[in-house]
Amino acid sequence: MALYLSKSGKFLPHFITKMSSLGMINLSSLGSCLSQNPPLLTEDGRTSYAAPGNDPTHFVCRRFGSVKADKLASISTNADSQLLNFPGGVVKFTPELKFLSDAPEERIHCYRVLDESGHLLTSDFVEIDKDIAVRMYKEMVMLQTVDTIFYEAQRQGRISFYVTAMGEEAINIASAAALSMDDFVFPQYREAGVLLWRGFGLQDLANQCFGNIGDNCKGRQMPAHYGSKKHNYFTVASTVATQIPHAVGAAYSLKMEGRDACTITYFGDGGTSTGDFHAAMNFAAVLEAPVILFCRNNGWAISTPVSDQFRSDGIVVRGQAYGIRGIRVDGNDALAVFSAVHTARKMAISESRPVLIEALTYRAGHHSTSDDSSKYRPIEEIEWWRAAQDPVGRFRKWLEMQGWWSCESDTELRGWARQEVLNAIQVAEKAEKPGLREIFTDVYDVPPSNLRDQEKSLRQTVQRHQRDYPHFQF
Amino acid sequence: MAASFGVSSAAVALADHAVKSSAFPLPSLTVIRSEARPISGRVNRSRKAGKISTHAVAAQTENPASAASKPGHEVLLFEALREGLEEEMERDPRVCIFGEDVGHYGGSYKVSKGLADKYGDLRVLDTPIAENSFTGMAVGAAMTGLRPVVEGMNMGFLLLAFNQISDNCGMLHYTSGGQFTIPTVIRGPGGVGRQLGAEHSQRLESYFQSIPGIQMVACSTPYNAKGLMKAAIRSENPVVLFEHVLLYNLKERIPDEEYVVSLEEAEMVRPGEHVTILTYSRMRYHVMQAAKTLVNKGYDPEVIDIRSLKPFDLYTIGNSVKKTHKVLIVEECMRTGGIGASLTAAINENFNDYLDAPIVCLSSQDVPTPYAGTLEEWTVVQPAQIVTAVEHLCR
């Protein structure tokens, strides 16, 4: 055991906490069996394991790595069978026929730093300096502006589709601000703010939404399905929750490299019902992968309210079910989100473990431009959340109380932001669309013969009917 | 390692197939072209004879490769796969393996045996039972620089991974505008075995063939198994490598020196004049068995193992059709929507003028594979049927 601890430095703190919390034996962590380089068999540590001539399967390794055979015997005779070393760990017996409750006595408490009027409720938060705080606010306003104007553009028929992050500005910006540029982001689709924070420009956003020649995705994806390798932001796919296992896989690759970075993945309350969420949580725990699993519990999955989505106390309670630490935060509170992500990131990297964050919030906008949420929820409810729990307003109040922001700055900022976004849209709208050639590129690294044939055939068709399709070009 | 594979030799090799690959820049390693005939006038002097084998024939009985270079060594097919995997893992530290029981257990067919001991439990990772999710993990790992090899314990289980394979593996390179590559290999045993039941006898190549963005190859001999494994790992595209449950214990002598085979090429198994028989994976052996009978009856079938299921090697296939004018496809897929169905369409479209008769496609019936041995046997194309079909075609 001791030899293993010294080799697997990363697992050390994790081990110790586990061992102390379980009291006597740590059997649950696979860390003792996982190592990047030294194989199980050839170390001196093998003699201390003393597996009886078998291949060290995980079960055997766990069992003998932690409890010597003689000690095992003494436990069972001394404590008169009050506990047993089952596969998976020591478990105490109970004479009571009692089922665990389906719900905790009280719902898990929600971490909050600022109240609705922007007053600090606690000193237990991660301090932010003025520059970051002001920048956070500006980006939140910019996100709001982008969402409003792009949504209007869709309504005007200028783009075909859009998803807003109304009500989730704090989640977007504060979480992004708490991460480093080296951390990989695996978004669902309501996290454009994270990309904005990382430096993706307004023009880039607009280009992607219009699918024009400036789009770095070459007109391949729906609007708001951004992706940028430069910014370590992985391309949005419409499939729900498929990014969660991706994030775990990427965390695995970071772990292999031993990098000072983690991955973060965002998903909604609806996404937690998928198989991918479950398996990814499980994998992340077993692998001890440095991933932050960020759930934006905004109450709605299109028209499905959370009461129809699951019956657990939200998502945070599921963390423990998988062996993952979790926290519930007020998603409309930028400081709370920042503190949670900041701390989670430290934990994830230094201890190489996954962390679950459930941010409670409200989807103040419609699911997307293809949805009218007034059809399934009262307008008063939407209005109330928008006004009373507006994350941007709350943060501004705090900033103003700090003396870091003012009304005039606000008007100026919003005016400027609006102008910038409108300009970006106008430029994007006028730009050319990608050539037809881009239908066939990037399917593979090099187009195979069937695609080359298909491209040739299309080219011929377009040329033959030039008059009918004057705008199409290769 | 890469330095020993000169771009020049690859470029010269291209000249042989100018029509096929005019716009096809090869990676900078020498890929062996498969030629059935002993090299006559087509010797490429610039091919480095030292480190790499210069012949690529993989026949059961004879192996000019072993004659031309060093004796080589005998391996079983699963060992050849393992050799390929191990060599690639040695060469590139980014290559890793995910799958159920691939670690200390060594994989359900022992393809990854010993690798966990050598490279550690993290690089040869035992995953919980969630195919969609560990395939998704592989996608994420691939996008961030690793080169994962995902094992489906049985190909049929990869149906659970369909979403990740089609929507993410196949698409993310495209939808990201080329920013993210997914160099994964997805492999596993498939096909009809010996009474494994319907769920363990799937032929996933039918279901996957439509997915844009992936490549599919099927190995059939130890030689091409190792070569395809290596090529698949080195490819920047997601590649699905189909192995067959019944072929893992095939024995063959393979070269000692390193070699890779082309992912997009078909293999000429037996040149002939009368009829082109296209097949792959296990059916290759049924075809060759039928070929023996056919030769005795005076026929001269040309047998091609298509190997590349997506895209088809229409160059090799086309040349054969132009020569024989008759095509018989023998596959294990079901009749509806199988590889044979697509291949029939592709040949008809491209080589219709050269056909003297409609293409005949022998496939399995559109039924789940039954358990009982007698029933199972007749859901798979038998050599007798192949002989009859050729006799009919060549009337």
Side-chain angles (χ1 to χ4, degrees):
Chain A
M1 196 62 127
L3 205 67
Y4 253 94
L5 287 178
S6 67
K7 292 270 175 192
S8 44
K10 252 206 186 130
F11 305 124
L12 181 57
H14 175 46
F15 244 46
I16 287 182
T17 36
K18 271 247 159 114
M19 287 189 77
S20 51
S21 67
L22 284 180
M24 91 195 198
I25 296 144
N26 170 19
L27 292 173
S28 54
S29 173
L30 263 184
S32 61
C33 304
L34 286 176
S35 60
Q36 296 209 12
N37 294 312
L40 280 169
L41 296 178
T42 65
E43 292 295 317
D44 286 343
R46 187 187 187 184
T47 48
S48 69
Y49 282 65
N54 295 338
D55 272 347
T57 62
H58 283 146
F59 166 54
V60 172
C61 137
R62 241 181 274 133
R63 181 182 158 84
F64 285 88
S66 39
V67 182
K68 294 284 176 8
D70 53 348
K71 228 172 160 185
L72 191 61
S74 67
I75 294 165
S76 37
T77 49
N78 283 355
D80 61 328
S81 316
Q82 263 181 19
L83 46 76
L84 184 57
N85 189 5
F86 279 108
V90 174
V91 178
K92 280 196 185 151
F93 290 111
T94 169
E96 290 176 25
L97 173 57
K98 201 172 94 174
F99 285 75
L100 288 178
S101 171
D102 54 345
E105 295 275 302
E106 244 191 301
R107 289 196 65 181
I108 303 287
H109 297 169
C110 180
Y111 172 64
R112 186 188 239 202
V113 176
L114 293 175
D115 67 13
E116 283 90 338
S117 4
H119 289 108
L120 278 177
L121 296 165
T122 174
S123 59
D124 188 6
F125 69 99
V126 175
E127 307 254 353
I128 322 180
D129 65 34
K130 177 184 176 190
D131 291 331
I132 306 274
V134 171
R135 192 186 158 205
M136 274 170 62
Y137 179 71
K138 286 184 178 171
E139 297 286 5
M140 285 165 73
V141 169
M142 181 55 88
L143 178 59
Q144 267 189 331
T145 315
V146 164
D147 275 350
T148 312
I149 297 181
F150 275 81
Y151 187 89
E152 285 170 15
Q154 193 276 344
R155 284 289 179 255
Q156 293 166 0
R158 295 157 87 183
I159 52 177
S160 65
F161 174 84
Y162 192 70
V163 246
T164 67
M166 306 271 201
E168 299 181 43
E169 295 86 353
I171 289 176
N172 270 245
I173 303 297
S175 67
L179 298 165
S180 91
M181 278 298 282
D182 290 332
D183 300 324
F184 294 134
V185 177
F186 287 86
Q188 177 73 71
Y189 47 53
R190 232 180 266 289
E191 299 89 12
V194 177
L195 198 49
L196 268 180
W197 177 271
R198 290 192 160 198
F200 202 64
L202 290 178
Q203 195 60 61
D204 295 320
L205 289 178
N207 286 343
Q208 198 280 335
C209 288
F210 280 88
N212 64 31
I213 210 164
D215 175 16
N216 71 340
C217 294
K218 302 182 193 168
R220 304 270 173 67
Q221 257 294 13
M222 290 174 77
H225 285 56
Y226 311 111
S228 173
K229 186 169 182 158
K230 209 167 61 169
H231 300 97
N232 281 331
Y233 187 96
F234 287 77
T235 309
V236 174
S238 308
T239 45
V240 175
T242 51
Q243 73 279 6
I244 313 179
H246 295 176
V248 176
Y252 166 83
S253 111
L254 287 177
K255 193 176 145 104
M256 291 262 271
E257 292 178 49
R259 275 221 262 164
D260 179 25
C262 68
T263 64
I264 184 168
T265 178
Y266 299 84
F267 45 91
D269 38 284
T272 65
S273 297
T274 63
D276 274 354
F277 164 78
H278 152 76
M281 287 276 283
N282 195 34
F283 274 59
V286 169
L287 259 186
E288 294 175 15
V291 54
I292 301 174
L293 302 136
F294 196 110
C295 176
R296 298 176 291 95
N297 184 347
N298 60 25
W300 296 92
I302 308 188
S303 68
T304 308
V306 287
S307 54
D308 286 343
Q309 193 68 249
F310 43 70
R311 288 298 161 88
S312 52
D313 170 20
I315 313 306
V316 66
V317 290
R318 300 196 198 173
Q320 201 171 52
Y322 293 98
I324 297 180
R325 274 189 211 155
I327 187 171
R328 169 174 277 162
V329 308
D330 178 352
N332 299 328
D333 178 348
L335 288 182
V337 173
F338 184 95
S339 300
V341 175
H342 187 269
T343 315
R345 179 178 184 272
K346 273 228 229 91
M347 260 195 266
I349 297 177
S350 65
E351 297 174 57
S352 194
R353 59 177 9 199
V355 184
L356 174 66
I357 299 178
E358 179 187 15
L360 293 181
T361 180
Y362 189 83
R363 194 195 74 209
H366 305 302
H367 166 70
S368 71
T369 48
S370 314
D371 174 47
D372 173 13
S373 56
S374 61
K375 291 221 162 69
Y376 49 80
R377 53 186 190 175
I379 302 192
E380 301 79 45
E381 180 187 301
I382 310 175
E383 293 299 319
W384 183 83
W385 278 93
R386 248 199 218 149
Q389 301 294 326
D390 175 30
V392 187
R394 192 192 303 186
F395 196 55
R396 190 186 71 242
K397 288 179 189 140
W398 178 73
L399 277 182
E400 284 171 350
M401 275 187 268
Q402 302 283 96
W404 291 349
W405 197 250
S406 69
C407 254
E408 298 78 40
S409 319
D410 213 67
T411 329
E412 198 187 315
L413 171 67
R414 286 181 190 270
W416 170 83
R418 189 174 169 81
Q419 207 45 56
E420 290 289 299
V421 176
L422 285 172
N423 284 345
I425 291 188
Q426 276 165 8
V427 171
E429 200 167 21
K430 294 202 193 80
E432 271 177 35
K433 298 297 183 215
L436 292 179
R437 175 187 351 109
E438 300 297 357
I439 295 177
F440 303 100
T441 53
D442 301 319
V443 182
Y444 296 98
D445 52 354
V446 168
S449 61
N450 60 325
L451 286 188
R452 291 201 310 273
D453 288 340
Q454 289 164 13
E455 185 187 341
K456 199 165 86 177
S457 161
L458 183 61
R459 212 182 268 266
Q460 285 166 354
T461 308
V462 168
Q463 269 167 2
R464 200 175 309 133
H465 302 277
Q466 194 81 61
R467 257 176 308 141
D468 298 327
Y469 302 101
H471 301 300
F472 288 112
Q473 52 194 303
F474 269 78
Chain B
M1 254 307 179
S4 61
F5 302 121
V7 176
S8 57
S9 50
V12 177
L14 263 181
D16 290 339
H17 303 276
V19 172
K20 170 189 175 191
S21 34
S22 48
F24 226 109
L26 276 184
S28 61
L29 60 87
T30 299
V31 168
I32 308 302
R33 301 295 181 203
S34 50
E35 312 270 286
R37 296 175 208 288
I39 302 299
S40 51
R42 297 169 87 189
V43 177
N44 269 312
R45 267 182 243 114
S46 56
R47 277 196 188 158
K48 298 179 202 243
K51 279 209 167 184
I52 324 125
S53 156
T54 52
H55 299 269
V57 179
Q60 273 299 91
T61 47
E62 61 191 1
N63 197 347
S66 48
S69 55
K70 291 189 219 159
H73 55 288
E74 270 196 342
V75 284
L76 302 178
L77 196 142
F78 77 90
E79 292 169 343
L81 287 167
R82 192 197 320 137
E83 263 184 37
L85 250 183
E86 194 166 351
E87 283 175 20
E88 292 304 300
M89 288 183 82
E90 194 63 44
R91 173 182 177 267
D92 187 345
R94 300 170 300 168
V95 180
C96 50
I97 306 179
F98 298 169
E100 293 155 8
D101 302 302
V102 295
H104 58 87
Y105 190 75
S108 49
Y109 289 91
K110 303 290 176 251
V111 172
S112 55
K113 185 161 184 211
L115 296 179
D117 293 337
K118 192 170 174 192
Y119 296 105
D121 285 28
L122 197 60
R123 213 170 150 196
V124 183
L125 186 69
D126 275 335
T127 61
I129 307 175
E131 280 76 7
N132 201 36
S133 307
F134 64 69
T135 310
M137 248 188 78
V139 171
M143 286 199 284
T144 48
L146 293 185
R147 304 189 80 92
V149 177
V150 175
E151 172 175 306
M153 190 183 264
N154 184 283
M155 273 308 213
F157 306 165
L158 292 180
L159 285 169
L160 288 157
F162 210 118
N163 191 19
Q164 288 285 357
I165 294 175
S166 77
D167 283 8
N168 291 318
C169 244
M171 283 194 195
L172 277 166
H173 183 58
Y174 187 76
T175 57
S176 69
Q179 291 181 84
F180 300 106
T181 52
I182 327 275
T184 47
V185 177
I186 297 167
R187 50 158 291 268
V192 179
R194 298 241 184 272
Q195 301 190 267
L196 296 178
E199 301 91 336
H200 292 83
S201 310
Q202 295 276 46
R203 282 128 288 167
L204 247 59
E205 57 271 23
S206 307
Y207 307 141
F208 285 171
Q209 61 176 322
S210 218
I211 301 174
I214 60 166
Q215 277 187 261
M216 306 199 308
V217 290
C219 63
S220 51
T221 67
Y223 182 86
N224 64 36
K226 179 175 175 182
L228 287 172
M229 172 72 89
K230 290 170 70 85
I233 293 174
R234 294 185 193 193
S235 168
E236 290 304 311
N237 300 316
V239 178
V240 186
L241 169 57
F242 290 92
E243 301 153 16
H244 197 285
V245 281
L246 296 180
L247 298 185
Y248 281 118
N249 289 321
L250 278 182
K251 193 188 284 198
E252 190 183 0
R253 183 166 285 275
I254 65 173
D256 289 327
E257 56 277 5
E258 190 173 17
Y259 69 92
V260 177
V261 306
S262 170
L263 286 176
E264 294 93 14
E265 275 215 345
E267 190 179 310
M268 179 67 72
V269 184
R270 181 193 187 282
E273 299 287 327
H274 289 166
V275 60
T276 299
I277 307 184
L278 303 172
T279 183
Y280 68 94
S281 192
R282 184 196 168 206
M283 288 296 104
R284 167 189 174 134
Y285 296 95
H286 280 204
V287 168
M288 289 311 287
Q289 213 182 314
K292 280 207 199 103
T293 314
L294 286 167
V295 165
N296 289 340
K297 293 192 173 193
Y299 295 94
D300 185 21
E302 176 152 293
V303 179
I304 296 177
D305 182 337
I306 63 175
R307 258 176 22 191
S308 175
L309 306 180
K310 183 182 172 81
F312 294 132
D313 179 6
L314 289 178
Y315 178 76
T316 307
I317 294 171
N319 282 346
S320 181
V321 176
K322 288 175 190 172
K323 185 172 54 165
T324 67
H325 312 297
K326 296 176 214 69
V327 178
L328 170 66
I329 300 172
V330 180
E331 58 163 355
E332 214 174 289
C333 284
M334 287 182 263
R335 174 49 138 214
T336 305
I339 295 290
S342 303
L343 192 51
T344 304
I347 299 174
N348 273 328
E349 242 172 41
N350 288 286
F351 307 112
N352 193 30
D353 287 343
Y354 297 95
L355 290 171
D356 283 348
I359 298 175
V360 177
C361 181
L362 297 178
S363 337
S364 297
Q365 303 88 338
D366 292 319
V367 299
T369 308
Y371 167 79
T374 42
L375 298 181
E376 181 188 67
E377 197 176 330
W378 284 102
T379 63
V380 166
V381 179
Q382 296 298 326
Q385 293 168 287
I386 302 172
V387 171
T388 312
V390 170
E391 287 177 329
H392 235 72
L393 253 184
C394 292
R395 239 177 317 142

